[in-house]
Amino acid sequence: MRDIQNDFSKMVEVEIPRLRRYARSLTRNAQTADDLVQDCLVRALSKQHLWFGGTDLRAWLFTIMHNQYVNSVRRSVRHGSEVEVSDTGPH
């Protein structure tokens, strides 16, 4: 079991540069992209049992990332944008 987890972790690690590029293309912001990659990796590791060996790991990871991004956009639309009170006063 431990070897399977190590193999999975190594395969995921190889995909991190591609995940970072995809995240930057989605978010257009380096810090937000890094957060998105981290969220994707955490989710992938916690849901590792749902990935079937022999299938395309990159596609699976990109799907997780895309869904995480869509959910965050929907959440921000639902909650609206936050504005500091000091930003709303007369200048």
Side-chain angles (χ1 to χ4, degrees):
M1 180 71 170
R2 183 86 175 150
D3 289 336
I4 293 171
Q5 289 176 338
N6 285 339
D7 290 344
F8 181 80
S9 296
K10 288 177 184 176
M11 291 187 310
V12 168
E13 186 177 347
V14 168
E15 299 300 330
I16 291 174
R18 290 181 185 96
L19 290 170
R20 292 187 79 211
R21 283 193 300 273
Y22 183 50
R24 284 189 180 205
S25 72
L26 288 172
T27 65
R28 307 280 187 222
N29 179 293
Q31 185 173 350
T32 305
D34 288 343
D35 291 343
L36 182 58
V37 171
Q38 181 176 344
D39 292 344
C40 174
L41 294 173
V42 167
R43 184 145 183 102
L45 292 174
S46 70
K47 301 294 183 179
Q48 160 182 351
H49 63 281
L50 297 175
W51 179 71
F52 298 104
T55 60
D56 190 350
L57 178 62
R58 184 182 310 158
W60 187 70
L61 292 169
F62 275 40
T63 300
I64 290 172
M65 178 174 287
H66 178 80
N67 290 340
Q68 294 281 100
Y69 176 71
V70 168
N71 289 341
S72 71
V73 169
R74 286 179 180 160
R75 191 176 312 112
S76 68
V77 167
R78 201 170 43 241
H79 292 258
S81 60
E82 296 180 11
V83 178
E84 292 290 325
V85 174
S86 61
D87 293 342
T88 60
H91 294 286

